[in-house]
PDB file of all heavy atoms in Angstrom:
ATOM      1  N   THR W 141      -0.019  -1.251   0.191  1.00 98.00           N
ATOM      2  CA  THR W 141      -1.430  -1.418   0.117  1.00 98.00           C
ATOM      3  C   THR W 141      -1.824  -2.838   0.176  1.00 98.00           C
ATOM      4  O   THR W 141      -2.758  -3.219   0.947  1.00 98.00           O
ATOM      5  CB  THR W 141      -1.857  -0.842  -1.238  1.00 98.00           C
ATOM      6  OG1 THR W 141      -1.531   0.656  -1.176  1.00 98.00           O
ATOM      7  CG2 THR W 141      -3.339  -0.923  -1.551  1.00 98.00           C
ATOM      8  N   GLY W 165      -7.507  -5.594 -11.714  1.00 98.00           N
ATOM      9  CA  GLY W 165      -6.400  -4.743 -11.746  1.00 98.00           C
ATOM     10  C   GLY W 165      -5.017  -5.441 -11.648  1.00 98.00           C
ATOM     11  O   GLY W 165      -4.982  -6.365 -10.807  1.00 98.00           O
ATOM     12  N   ARG W 166      -4.114  -5.050 -12.421  1.00 98.00           N
ATOM     13  CA  ARG W 166      -2.828  -5.797 -12.462  1.00 98.00           C
ATOM     14  C   ARG W 166      -1.617  -4.762 -12.346  1.00 98.00           C
ATOM     15  O   ARG W 166      -0.648  -5.053 -12.905  1.00 98.00           O
ATOM     16  CB  ARG W 166      -2.784  -6.572 -13.716  1.00 98.00           C
ATOM     17  CG  ARG W 166      -2.845  -5.769 -15.029  1.00 98.00           C
ATOM     18  CD  ARG W 166      -2.560  -6.646 -16.243  1.00 98.00           C
ATOM     19  NE  ARG W 166      -3.112  -5.907 -17.425  1.00 98.00           N
ATOM     20  CZ  ARG W 166      -2.994  -6.351 -18.626  1.00 98.00           C
ATOM     21  NH1 ARG W 166      -2.504  -7.589 -18.908  1.00 98.00           N
ATOM     22  NH2 ARG W 166      -3.497  -5.621 -19.691  1.00 98.00           N
ATOM     23  N   SER W 167      -1.724  -3.772 -11.652  1.00 97.00           N
ATOM     24  CA  SER W 167      -0.629  -2.803 -11.486  1.00 97.00           C
ATOM     25  C   SER W 167       0.406  -3.415 -10.662  1.00 97.00           C
ATOM     26  O   SER W 167       0.112  -4.368  -9.904  1.00 97.00           O
ATOM     27  CB  SER W 167      -1.089  -1.495 -10.991  1.00 97.00           C
ATOM     28  OG  SER W 167      -1.356  -1.610  -9.515  1.00 97.00           O
ATOM     29  N   HIS W 189      -8.194  -7.634 -15.890  1.00 98.00           N
ATOM     30  CA  HIS W 189      -7.641  -6.361 -16.526  1.00 98.00           C
ATOM     31  C   HIS W 189      -8.603  -5.908 -17.624  1.00 98.00           C
ATOM     32  O   HIS W 189      -9.675  -6.511 -17.808  1.00 98.00           O
ATOM     33  CB  HIS W 189      -6.220  -6.476 -16.944  1.00 98.00           C
ATOM     34  CG  HIS W 189      -5.938  -7.737 -17.763  1.00 98.00           C
ATOM     35  ND1 HIS W 189      -6.346  -7.898 -19.012  1.00 98.00           N
ATOM     36  CD2 HIS W 189      -5.510  -8.951 -17.298  1.00 98.00           C
ATOM     37  CE1 HIS W 189      -6.132  -9.140 -19.428  1.00 98.00           C
ATOM     38  NE2 HIS W 189      -5.541  -9.853 -18.364  1.00 98.00           N
ATOM     39  N   THR W 190      -8.199  -4.882 -18.373  1.00 98.00           N
ATOM     40  CA  THR W 190      -9.135  -4.403 -19.358  1.00 98.00           C
ATOM     41  C   THR W 190      -9.405  -5.349 -20.525  1.00 98.00           C
ATOM     42  O   THR W 190     -10.364  -5.087 -21.229  1.00 98.00           O
ATOM     43  CB  THR W 190      -8.580  -3.026 -19.959  1.00 98.00           C
ATOM     44  OG1 THR W 190      -7.253  -3.249 -20.386  1.00 98.00           O
ATOM     45  CG2 THR W 190      -8.529  -1.944 -18.908  1.00 98.00           C
ATOM     46  N   ALA W 208      -9.419  -3.080  -7.721  1.00 98.00           N
ATOM     47  CA  ALA W 208      -8.263  -2.074  -7.855  1.00 98.00           C
ATOM     48  C   ALA W 208      -8.109  -1.585  -9.203  1.00 98.00           C
ATOM     49  O   ALA W 208      -7.041  -1.818  -9.788  1.00 98.00           O
ATOM     50  CB  ALA W 208      -6.974  -2.696  -7.245  1.00 98.00           C
ATOM     51  N   ALA W 209      -9.187  -1.085  -9.741  1.00 98.00           N
ATOM     52  CA  ALA W 209      -9.117  -0.633 -11.257  1.00 98.00           C
ATOM     53  C   ALA W 209      -9.006   0.937 -11.325  1.00 98.00           C
ATOM     54  O   ALA W 209      -8.612   1.432 -12.342  1.00 98.00           O
ATOM     55  CB  ALA W 209     -10.263  -1.220 -11.955  1.00 98.00           C
ATOM     56  N   GLY W 210      -9.478   1.537 -10.284  1.00 98.00           N
ATOM     57  CA  GLY W 210      -9.537   3.074 -10.445  1.00 98.00           C
ATOM     58  C   GLY W 210     -10.774   3.466 -11.224  1.00 98.00           C
ATOM     59  O   GLY W 210     -10.607   4.521 -12.016  1.00 98.00           O
ATOM     60  N   VAL W 229     -10.229  -1.028  -3.230  1.00 98.00           N
ATOM     61  CA  VAL W 229      -8.970  -0.159  -3.165  1.00 98.00           C
ATOM     62  C   VAL W 229      -9.162   1.092  -3.907  1.00 98.00           C
ATOM     63  O   VAL W 229      -8.414   2.014  -3.613  1.00 98.00           O
ATOM     64  CB  VAL W 229      -7.833  -1.058  -3.901  1.00 98.00           C
ATOM     65  CG1 VAL W 229      -6.533  -0.294  -3.717  1.00 98.00           C
ATOM     66  CG2 VAL W 229      -7.725  -2.466  -3.308  1.00 98.00           C
ATOM     67  N   THR W 231      -9.704   4.650  -5.348  1.00 96.00           N
ATOM     68  CA  THR W 231      -9.968   5.944  -4.769  1.00 96.00           C
ATOM     69  C   THR W 231     -10.272   6.854  -5.906  1.00 96.00           C
ATOM     70  O   THR W 231      -9.326   7.236  -6.666  1.00 96.00           O
ATOM     71  CB  THR W 231      -8.847   6.546  -3.884  1.00 96.00           C
ATOM     72  OG1 THR W 231      -7.584   6.229  -4.727  1.00 96.00           O
ATOM     73  CG2 THR W 231      -8.706   5.798  -2.567  1.00 96.00           C
ATOM     74  N   THR W 266      -2.750   1.590   4.110  1.00 97.00           N
ATOM     75  CA  THR W 266      -1.640   1.679   3.304  1.00 97.00           C
ATOM     76  C   THR W 266      -0.613   2.621   4.222  1.00 97.00           C
ATOM     77  O   THR W 266       0.625   2.302   4.166  1.00 97.00           O
ATOM     78  CB  THR W 266      -1.918   2.511   2.007  1.00 97.00           C
ATOM     79  OG1 THR W 266      -2.883   1.634   1.319  1.00 97.00           O
ATOM     80  CG2 THR W 266      -0.756   2.764   1.159  1.00 97.00           C
TER      81      THR W 266
HETATM   82  P1  LIG B   1      -3.492   1.597 -12.418  1.00 82.78           P
HETATM   83  O1  LIG B   1      -4.149   2.547 -13.190  1.00 82.78           O
HETATM   84  O2  LIG B   1      -1.973   1.465 -12.364  1.00 82.78           O
HETATM   85  O3  LIG B   1      -4.036   0.119 -12.721  1.00 82.78           O
HETATM   86  C1  LIG B   1      -5.416  -0.146 -12.933  1.00 82.78           C
HETATM   87  C2  LIG B   1      -5.663  -1.527 -13.262  1.00 82.78           C
HETATM   88  O4  LIG B   1      -7.009  -1.747 -13.472  1.00 82.78           O
HETATM   89  C3  LIG B   1      -4.928  -1.897 -14.660  1.00 82.78           C
HETATM   90  O5  LIG B   1      -4.364  -3.222 -14.537  1.00 82.78           O
HETATM   91  C4  LIG B   1      -6.215  -1.924 -15.575  1.00 82.78           C
HETATM   92  O6  LIG B   1      -6.046  -2.830 -16.632  1.00 82.78           O
HETATM   93  C5  LIG B   1      -7.251  -2.355 -14.637  1.00 82.78           C
HETATM   94  N1  LIG B   1      -8.531  -1.833 -15.087  1.00 82.78           N
HETATM   95  C6  LIG B   1      -8.950  -0.556 -15.327  1.00 82.78           C
HETATM   96  N2  LIG B   1     -10.246  -0.433 -15.802  1.00 82.78           N
HETATM   97  C7  LIG B   1     -10.719  -1.741 -15.834  1.00 82.78           C
HETATM   98  C8  LIG B   1     -11.944  -2.284 -16.249  1.00 82.78           C
HETATM   99  N3  LIG B   1     -12.925  -1.532 -16.666  1.00 82.78           N
HETATM  100  N4  LIG B   1     -12.015  -3.690 -16.228  1.00 82.78           N
HETATM  101  C9  LIG B   1     -11.042  -4.448 -15.786  1.00 82.78           C
HETATM  102  N5  LIG B   1      -9.864  -3.973 -15.396  1.00 82.78           N
HETATM  103  C10 LIG B   1      -9.694  -2.627 -15.393  1.00 82.78           C
HETATM  104  O7  LIG B   1      -3.977   1.787 -10.893  1.00 82.78           O
HETATM  105  P2  LIG B   1      -3.400   1.417  -9.475  1.00 82.78           P
HETATM  106  O8  LIG B   1      -3.300  -0.036  -9.337  1.00 82.78           O
HETATM  107  O9  LIG B   1      -2.316   2.306  -9.130  1.00 82.78           O
HETATM  108  O10 LIG B   1      -4.547   1.828  -8.577  1.00 82.78           O
HETATM  109  C11 LIG B   1      -5.909   1.336  -8.747  1.00 82.78           C
HETATM  110  C12 LIG B   1      -6.919   2.124  -7.839  1.00 82.78           C
HETATM  111  O11 LIG B   1      -6.529   2.003  -6.483  1.00 82.78           O
HETATM  112  C13 LIG B   1      -6.882   3.686  -8.203  1.00 82.78           C
HETATM  113  O12 LIG B   1      -8.136   4.240  -7.901  1.00 82.78           O
HETATM  114  C14 LIG B   1      -5.921   4.152  -7.099  1.00 82.78           C
HETATM  115  O13 LIG B   1      -6.252   5.543  -6.731  1.00 82.78           O
HETATM  116  C15 LIG B   1      -6.322   3.336  -5.904  1.00 82.78           C
HETATM  117  N6  LIG B   1      -5.131   3.187  -4.977  1.00 82.78           N
HETATM  118  C16 LIG B   1      -5.522   3.264  -3.660  1.00 82.78           C
HETATM  119  C17 LIG B   1      -4.573   3.159  -2.599  1.00 82.78           C
HETATM  120  C18 LIG B   1      -5.082   3.218  -1.230  1.00 82.78           C
HETATM  121  O14 LIG B   1      -4.238   3.203  -0.360  1.00 82.78           O
HETATM  122  N7  LIG B   1      -6.360   3.231  -0.989  1.00 82.78           N
HETATM  123  C19 LIG B   1      -3.262   2.757  -2.946  1.00 82.78           C
HETATM  124  C20 LIG B   1      -2.943   2.536  -4.389  1.00 82.78           C
HETATM  125  C21 LIG B   1      -3.888   2.769  -5.253  1.00 82.78           C
HETATM  126  P3  LIG B   1      -4.880  -2.775 -17.834  1.00 82.78           P
HETATM  127  O15 LIG B   1      -3.589  -3.370 -17.152  1.00 82.78           O
HETATM  128  O16 LIG B   1      -5.423  -3.689 -18.884  1.00 82.78           O
HETATM  129  O17 LIG B   1      -4.810  -1.371 -18.221  1.00 82.78           O
END
Side-chain angles (χ1 to χ4, degrees):
T141 300
R166 58 174 163 181
S167 73
H189 45 78
T190 53
V229 187
T231 47
T266 299

